[in-house]
Amino acid sequence: MDNPSLRELQQPLLAGVGCGPPLQKPGEPQLGPPFRETAFAESLRGWQFLPPPVPSVSAGLGELGPPDLEHPQRQEQQHFPSLDDKPQFPGASAEFIDKLEFIQPNVISGIPVYRVMDRQGQIINPSEDPHLPQEKVLKFYKSMTLLNTMDRILYESQRQGRISFYMTNYGEEGTHVGSAAALDNTDLVFGQYREAGVLMYRDYPLELFMAQCYGNVSDPGKGRQMPVHYGCKDRHFVTISSPLATQIPQAVGAAYAAKRANANRVVICYFGEGAASEGDAHAGFNFAATLECPIIFFCRNNGYAISTPTSEQYRGDGIAARGPGYGIMSIRVDGNDVFAVYNATKEARRRAVAENQPFLIEAMTYRIGHHSTSDDSSAYRSVDEVNYWDKQDHPISRLRHYLQSRGWWDDEQEKAWRKQSRKKVMEAFEQAERKPKPNPNLLFSDVYQEMPTQLRKQQEALARHLQTYGEHYPLDHFEK
């Protein structure tokens, strides 16, 4: 019997993928970046997570029993199949072939996108409906819309010169709230910089959001960070840092510590598809898999890394396709469907804790706003493209359709809530503006338990400088 070709060996792996042709109508914009052939999957149980390759006896590994610790030399006597037929290399599970053939990058047509609701907020497969109570779904909606309102006011605040910088979350609210709701409140969160909705869902006060962006005396970070670099120990949200992807290996270390401590908690690490190109992402994936850490890697694939579209970032099938190569269970979900995000995160959390293994969720969404207030996205994408996602496939409008179809929300409630939420944000905004900045001496504290001589000299030099030239600085805006 001839040895099988490489393509024939790949067929059993492809048979369970269940990928079909794309379901988009001709000319209709695709969900997120232009992946090859990606279909919607309407059953989490039917699709499950894309599993990593599993070694088998037929792959030449033999029947591996427990190690003989008393007689280690006996390990060399273990029986293997014929050396003429099976590879014995320890680094992979494979068969021999006798035909030269390279693996094609598009051998899998496209990982499906799991969804629960269609764009009109209708449940597609009743068995996938999470059947959440009205109170919880309303919290989803109010968290998403409150975040949207806060974004609009702080964005305009920056444009008016009141704060130095801001990043909006327009269009990605469903990824934040759906995932946050599926976690336990003690689960540790490592964010990138566009996950304010996670804190919003955990009831982080508007006053502290504003205090951080204004860097006033109420800011827990004492004015030392750029705006939107939130953090909250009480809500288990690790403080944001600007460099891309540095949080990924840090999150893996925290997950490994939680595993060693039998803490029964999971770590979730958020990042964008652009950050997934950083070396830290690859190192983090590999450490998480080999150390078997209870972590959820949550990738917000919003189509753009600042001005770089996904078509210029990678040639493979997005980020979820990378998971199995590292031995990580992976799934792709519709990030504009808050229930799909909730279901996938909840199941990933359950299994990550129970099985001590990492999971990768790629949430397909779209960044409606500019990357930040330092960016003008009209230079690299069309207004029509942005309008489509804002008007036709927005996570907030989709959830509102769901609520209205259930009789849980109506136009009068919408109008009242919009007015109420804006009032709440404006009150926190005005309060933040009235508060002074932190005392300049706080520049030197909270780093060392005992201040080093060199740092003390710098503090004294600043004091002398302000004593001499204080009239040139707005010291009356700072706490005494």
Side-chain angles (χ1 to χ4, degrees):
M1 181 177 178
D2 294 337
N3 285 335
S5 70
L6 179 60
R7 186 167 296 280
E8 290 171 333
L9 287 172
Q10 291 166 340
Q11 293 310 308
L13 294 176
L14 302 183
V17 171
C19 300
L23 298 184
Q24 289 89 353
K25 297 178 182 178
E28 181 180 66
Q30 291 179 314
L31 183 67
F35 292 110
R36 300 179 186 277
E37 290 186 355
T38 300
F40 281 115
E42 295 162 359
S43 171
L44 184 60
R45 285 178 285 277
W47 164 237
Q48 296 291 343
F49 289 85
L50 185 65
V54 180
S56 64
V57 175
S58 63
L61 296 182
E63 297 287 348
L64 299 181
D68 189 340
L69 300 179
E70 295 184 5
H71 304 88
Q73 69 277 9
R74 292 182 183 174
Q75 298 301 308
E76 300 176 2
Q77 302 173 6
Q78 185 175 0
H79 172 72
F80 286 94
S82 170
L83 298 180
D84 296 332
D85 300 324
K86 304 293 182 181
Q88 303 301 314
F89 308 114
S93 56
E95 297 277 358
F96 280 123
I97 61 171
D98 54 15
K99 181 180 179 182
L100 177 62
E101 188 172 0
F102 289 94
I103 297 174
Q104 298 296 320
N106 59 346
V107 67
I108 296 178
S109 61
I111 298 173
V113 180
Y114 167 67
R115 67 175 179 174
V116 175
M117 291 187 290
D118 62 19
R119 293 184 177 99
Q120 289 70 47
Q122 299 299 311
I123 300 295
I124 301 167
N125 183 348
S127 66
E128 295 300 310
D129 187 341
H131 298 292
L132 298 174
Q134 178 180 353
E135 181 182 358
K136 187 160 190 172
V137 181
L138 284 174
K139 183 175 181 180
F140 284 14
Y141 186 72
K142 289 186 175 183
S143 297
M144 292 162 69
T145 49
L146 184 61
L147 174 62
N148 187 271
T149 300
M150 183 181 79
D151 274 347
R152 294 180 187 280
I153 290 172
L154 284 174
Y155 179 85
E156 292 302 324
S157 173
Q158 192 280 334
R159 285 297 188 243
Q160 295 168 9
R162 296 168 184 264
I163 60 176
S164 61
F165 178 82
Y166 195 68
M167 303 181 82
T168 64
N169 303 275
Y170 302 146
E172 300 184 49
E173 297 91 346
T175 64
H176 303 182
V177 172
S179 57
L183 301 171
D184 282 2
N185 288 334
T186 58
D187 289 336
L188 192 60
V189 177
F190 282 78
Q192 185 165 300
Y193 44 57
R194 210 184 302 277
E195 291 86 21
V198 177
L199 269 175
M200 185 76 74
Y201 189 82
R202 289 190 172 184
D203 298 320
Y204 193 64
L206 283 171
E207 291 75 16
L208 291 184
F209 278 115
M210 296 292 175
Q212 199 285 323
C213 289
Y214 272 84
N216 64 29
V217 291
S218 296
D219 174 20
K222 301 179 182 179
R224 300 178 182 129
Q225 274 274 29
M226 289 175 62
V228 308
H229 288 53
Y230 311 111
C232 182
K233 184 176 181 181
D234 292 341
R235 289 169 175 82
H236 307 282
F237 192 100
V238 178
T239 303
I240 303 296
S241 58
S242 294
L244 280 182
T246 55
Q247 76 275 16
I248 298 177
Q250 294 166 4
V252 174
Y256 185 58
K259 171 188 171 181
R260 294 290 301 269
N262 292 318
N264 193 36
R265 71 193 303 209
V266 74
V267 174
I268 187 167
C269 181
Y270 294 90
F271 55 95
E273 85 288 345
S277 297
E278 295 281 350
D280 277 347
H282 300 280
F285 294 161
N286 201 43
F287 272 119
T290 56
L291 296 175
E292 299 177 332
C293 300
I295 184 171
I296 299 171
F297 294 111
F298 194 101
C299 176
R300 299 174 292 93
N301 192 332
N302 62 22
Y304 291 91
I306 308 182
S307 59
T308 305
T310 54
S311 59
E312 297 178 19
Q313 291 182 57
Y314 50 73
R315 287 293 181 268
D317 183 25
I319 309 304
R322 301 178 189 179
Y326 287 102
I328 297 176
M329 300 286 283
S330 306
I331 193 171
R332 175 176 289 153
V333 304
D334 183 347
N336 294 344
D337 178 350
V338 69
F339 294 152
V341 175
Y342 174 84
N343 284 354
T345 308
K346 189 175 183 65
E347 177 66 6
R349 189 210 177 273
R350 182 188 69 80
R351 294 186 60 182
V353 172
E355 302 168 13
N356 274 328
Q357 66 168 318
F359 284 78
L360 171 60
I361 298 173
E362 182 183 22
M364 310 307 298
T365 184
Y366 189 83
R367 193 197 78 213
I368 292 174
H370 305 296
H371 172 74
S372 71
T373 49
S374 303
D375 173 47
D376 177 9
S377 64
S378 65
Y380 53 83
R381 61 182 183 177
S382 70
V383 174
D384 289 342
E385 177 183 318
V386 176
N387 284 340
Y388 167 80
W389 293 99
D390 189 26
K391 306 299 183 185
Q392 302 297 324
D393 199 0
H394 199 289
I396 291 178
S397 60
R398 191 185 299 194
L399 184 57
R400 183 164 65 247
H401 291 323
Y402 173 87
L403 288 167
Q404 290 173 336
S405 69
R406 294 292 190 278
W408 293 352
W409 199 251
D410 57 33
D411 291 343
E412 287 300 316
Q413 289 172 296
E414 176 73 15
K415 184 178 179 180
W417 168 244
R418 292 286 182 177
K419 183 177 180 180
Q420 180 187 352
S421 61
R422 179 174 176 80
K423 181 181 178 183
K424 290 171 65 173
V425 174
M426 286 303 300
E427 287 175 351
F429 169 82
E430 291 167 0
Q431 182 185 97
E433 280 207 316
R434 288 194 298 267
K435 290 187 176 182
K437 304 295 183 183
N439 189 297
N441 279 321
L442 292 175
L443 283 168
F444 305 96
S445 60
D446 297 334
V447 177
Y448 299 96
Q449 184 175 1
E450 296 182 9
M451 189 178 296
T453 302
Q454 185 62 32
L455 195 59
R456 189 174 298 281
K457 288 181 179 179
Q458 293 179 31
Q459 185 181 33
E460 292 169 353
L462 175 63
R464 290 194 300 271
H465 179 83
L466 293 179
Q467 183 72 28
T468 305
Y469 302 105
E471 62 187 273
H472 300 288
Y473 295 92
L475 295 179
D476 56 328
H477 295 170
F478 289 79
E479 189 178 43
K480 304 301 181 184

